[in-house]
Amino acid sequence: MRLGALLAALGLLVAVSTAVTTGPFLPDSRPGAAPPGLPEARFPAATRLYTAPDTAAARWVREHHRDPRSAVIRERIASWPQGSWITDADPQKVEGEVRAVVDAARARGALPVLVPYAVHRRDCSGHSSGGTGGVSAYRNWIEGFARGIGSADALVVLEPDALALADCLSSRERRDRYAALSYAGRILHRDAPRSSVYYDAGNSGWHPARTMADRLRRAGATRYGDGIALNVSNFNRTRDEIAYGYSVLRELDGARLTMVIDTSRNGAGPARGNRTCDPSGRRLGQTPTTDTGVRGVDAYLWVKPPGQADGCAAAAGAFDAQYAYRLAR
């Protein structure tokens, strides 16, 4: 009897331990030791992230309030903070667009997540191809972006995929891209000094950590960045992204960078075959927060607005209610 009770108690302890580390809103295994010298969390745990009232999901809910999917999309997607993607290539428009987001967030005592996405040859020939007309045009564009932030607080995820997709570029184009991103970091550091800039670093299923670290270094991340952003628009599990982030930061020895992770669609992990264009069966991940409890991880964010298509369920960047509903169920 005593042995049985002891074994039962041990089993209960194991179950409790497993529940704590594998819950739906926590990394589901230890990612390994953090690199030495990581700075403390960049944001207080109670930081309020900005929830915009006019996201595509929120607009859809208002326009389709009788739709049976509306309540789920409102409660599980539209009511949560999401990244504000700034994509218009016109440098005359970007300053006002950014300022409008920043001012609205400041009025609510919240921190906006801004995603500049306009670098020349953005997404190469993919579904979201486009961007500014060249390096000079991008410099004008990012200057307007930085002026839009000005003295306000902001979290900036700099140019998703720009470094991870550099393989599609010629040697000269790659050098231009590194120069453009380095200039962006310098301008944000100078003209938006209260912004925290996270250079996009792909994800754990893409490039070796050493390759990504070399690209980040060439793009000015160690001089002008506050950290790296991982898993943007992807589906990899949080634990894998943390482990990969630690590996990249080790390669950037002494840079004192941290990381943020996009958890908008990683609740079920990657799809079979690592399909990344609106794959079925995916789920929402950890809700946005700066209270991560993990050293070196400043925030879990919904950088990619859930329900925004990759280009397969609907046109790239368009909100697809059925895809959103399936993510949120």
Side-chain angles (χ1 to χ4, degrees):
M1 292 291 290
R2 290 180 179 177
L3 178 60
L6 178 61
L7 290 174
L10 288 173
L12 179 61
L13 286 174
V14 170
V16 170
S17 175
T18 302
V20 169
T21 58
T22 62
F25 302 118
L26 292 172
D28 43 8
S29 71
R30 293 183 180 181
L38 283 180
E40 296 294 331
R42 209 167 295 281
F43 309 106
T47 297
R48 181 182 180 188
L49 297 169
Y50 177 56
T51 303
D54 60 346
T55 62
R59 290 195 301 270
W60 184 90
V61 167
R62 287 195 295 270
E63 295 166 3
H64 300 84
H65 60 277
R66 296 181 184 276
D67 191 295
R69 300 168 294 183
S70 180
V72 170
I73 293 174
R74 181 183 65 249
E75 294 169 10
R76 299 185 183 177
I77 294 179
S79 299
W80 292 95
Q82 301 166 33
S84 295
W85 290 61
I86 311 299
T87 62
D88 195 312
D90 186 345
Q92 302 300 317
K93 296 179 180 178
V94 62
E95 181 177 350
E97 187 176 349
V98 170
R99 182 172 290 116
V101 175
V102 166
D103 287 349
R106 182 157 43 188
R108 292 165 174 78
L111 178 72
V113 176
L114 299 169
V115 189
Y117 190 53
V119 74
H120 178 54
R121 289 203 65 194
R122 180 186 74 195
D123 202 31
C124 296
S125 299
H127 291 289
S128 298
S129 58
T132 55
V135 175
S136 178
Y138 184 72
R139 288 185 173 184
N140 291 334
W141 190 92
I142 200 67
E143 287 169 3
F145 181 94
R147 286 194 302 271
I149 299 174
S151 61
D153 293 316
L155 191 160
V156 177
V157 176
L158 183 61
E159 295 294 344
D161 295 345
L163 292 177
L165 279 177
D167 293 323
C168 79
L169 305 174
S170 68
S171 296
R172 179 177 178 178
E173 289 173 328
R174 199 172 301 145
R175 289 194 297 270
D176 286 346
R177 177 157 295 182
Y178 295 148
L181 294 177
S182 183
Y183 185 79
R186 180 161 65 88
I187 290 300
L188 287 163
H189 186 73
R190 186 191 74 187
D191 295 345
R194 293 176 62 86
S195 63
S196 298
V197 180
Y198 295 82
Y199 278 66
D200 186 81
N203 62 71
S204 61
W206 208 333
H207 293 291
R210 182 169 295 180
T211 299
M212 185 50 64
D214 178 65
R215 295 182 184 186
L216 287 162
R217 197 177 288 111
R218 291 170 183 265
T222 55
R223 285 174 290 168
Y224 307 120
D226 296 288
I228 60 175
L230 298 168
N231 207 42
V232 173
S233 301
N234 216 283
F235 305 88
N236 297 323
R237 295 188 184 279
T238 302
R239 68 170 183 264
D240 296 329
E241 295 308 294
I242 296 173
Y244 178 68
Y246 284 169
S247 296
V248 172
L249 295 179
R250 287 191 189 94
E251 294 291 338
L252 295 171
D253 182 40
R256 292 187 61 77
L257 301 178
T258 50
M259 71 180 95
V260 295
I261 298 171
D262 187 353
T263 58
S264 59
R265 304 187 295 179
N266 74 345
R272 181 175 298 180
N274 287 317
R275 287 184 55 244
T276 58
C277 188
D278 302 321
S280 61
R282 302 311 92 204
R283 296 289 181 269
L284 299 174
Q286 159 73 52
T287 50
T289 182
T290 58
D291 187 10
T292 70
V294 180
R295 183 127 184 135
V297 181
D298 290 338
Y300 300 131
L301 305 172
W302 285 3
V303 181
K304 172 80 169 184
Q308 186 185 84
D310 301 314
C312 293
F319 179 78
D320 185 86
Q322 185 60 18
Y323 189 53
Y325 180 69
R326 287 175 176 170
L327 286 170
R329 283 189 304 174

XYZ file of all heavy atoms in Angstrom, residues 23 27 36 49 67 94 97 112 128 134 173 179 201 223 239 253 267-268 281 323:
141
model
N 1.757 23.307 -21.405
C 0.462 23.951 -21.584
C 0.402 24.713 -22.893
O 1.426 24.995 -23.511
N 6.130 27.615 -23.711
C 6.997 26.729 -24.470
C 6.877 25.310 -23.924
O 6.873 25.105 -22.716
C 8.392 27.317 -24.219
C 8.153 28.739 -23.865
C 6.840 28.746 -23.121
N 25.212 33.379 -22.195
C 25.573 34.278 -21.099
C 25.515 35.733 -21.553
O 25.725 36.058 -22.718
C 27.016 33.863 -20.769
C 27.523 33.209 -22.024
C 26.347 32.545 -22.644
N 0.197 45.993 -24.940
C 0.409 46.061 -26.379
C -0.846 46.627 -27.053
O -1.969 46.372 -26.618
C 0.744 44.668 -26.929
C 2.045 44.047 -26.392
C 2.142 42.585 -26.784
C 3.262 44.818 -26.908
N -23.016 36.947 -38.898
C -22.369 35.705 -39.340
C -22.093 34.821 -38.123
O -21.602 35.310 -37.093
C -21.049 36.046 -40.048
C -20.431 34.852 -40.765
O -20.030 33.885 -40.073
O -20.334 34.900 -41.997
N 3.843 57.180 -45.903
C 4.229 56.330 -44.788
C 4.306 57.101 -43.475
O 3.901 56.590 -42.420
C 5.566 55.617 -45.090
C 6.699 56.606 -45.291
C 5.925 54.645 -43.970
N 0.853 57.534 -42.006
C 0.276 56.246 -41.622
C 0.863 55.754 -40.307
O 0.146 55.292 -39.416
C 0.523 55.229 -42.734
C -0.179 53.902 -42.523
C 0.023 52.958 -43.691
O 0.533 53.382 -44.751
O -0.323 51.765 -43.540
N 2.721 50.119 -29.630
C 2.382 49.578 -30.944
C 3.493 48.673 -31.480
O 4.675 48.892 -31.211
C 2.243 50.828 -31.806
C 3.208 51.797 -31.194
C 3.190 51.521 -29.706
N 3.970 38.102 -52.088
C 3.962 39.475 -51.567
C 5.059 40.323 -52.187
O 5.576 41.247 -51.567
C 4.123 39.453 -50.041
O 3.063 38.779 -49.430
N 14.104 50.999 -55.225
C 15.547 50.825 -55.139
C 16.072 51.314 -53.804
O 15.306 51.708 -52.924
N 22.973 42.953 -55.424
C 21.692 43.229 -54.778
C 21.732 42.870 -53.302
O 21.120 43.548 -52.473
C 20.585 42.442 -55.477
C 20.240 42.951 -56.856
C 19.271 42.038 -57.583
O 19.322 40.805 -57.352
O 18.469 42.542 -58.384
N 23.038 47.061 -46.960
C 23.223 48.502 -46.751
C 21.895 49.181 -46.425
O 21.838 50.070 -45.563
C 23.846 49.120 -48.003
N 14.918 37.598 -38.473
C 15.964 36.585 -38.613
C 15.409 35.245 -39.081
O 15.970 34.195 -38.773
C 16.714 36.421 -37.285
N 24.911 46.698 -34.482
C 25.198 48.113 -34.212
C 23.943 48.894 -33.857
O 23.965 49.763 -32.980
C 25.871 48.750 -35.438
C 27.330 48.365 -35.619
C 27.858 48.909 -36.928
N 27.271 48.205 -38.077
C 27.372 48.628 -39.343
N 27.975 49.771 -39.595
N 26.834 47.935 -40.324
N 9.152 26.601 -28.647
C 10.391 26.059 -28.069
C 11.503 25.985 -29.112
O 12.677 26.241 -28.817
C 10.134 24.675 -27.473
C 9.824 23.593 -28.489
C 9.815 22.205 -27.835
N 9.593 21.168 -28.829
C 8.418 20.621 -29.114
N 7.343 21.050 -28.469
N 8.300 19.687 -30.021
N 28.104 36.746 -30.566
C 28.678 36.829 -29.224
C 28.964 38.280 -28.835
O 29.635 39.010 -29.566
C 29.975 36.019 -29.172
C 30.600 36.014 -27.803
O 29.857 35.922 -26.804
O 31.836 36.109 -27.719
N 0.085 27.437 -32.827
C -0.491 26.632 -31.755
C -0.514 25.144 -32.031
O -0.553 24.341 -31.102
N -0.482 24.749 -33.301
C -0.450 23.331 -33.654
C 0.877 22.936 -34.282
O 1.024 21.816 -34.776
C -1.596 23.003 -34.616
N -5.377 23.102 -40.717
C -5.106 22.447 -39.444
C -4.257 23.234 -38.476
O -3.875 22.718 -37.418
N -10.536 31.130 -43.019
C -9.224 30.729 -42.518
C -9.045 31.214 -41.084
O -8.527 30.485 -40.223
C -8.125 31.291 -43.426
C -6.749 30.747 -43.108
C -6.518 29.378 -43.044
C -5.684 31.601 -42.861
C -5.264 28.878 -42.749
C -4.425 31.109 -42.565
C -4.217 29.744 -42.512
O -2.977 29.249 -42.202
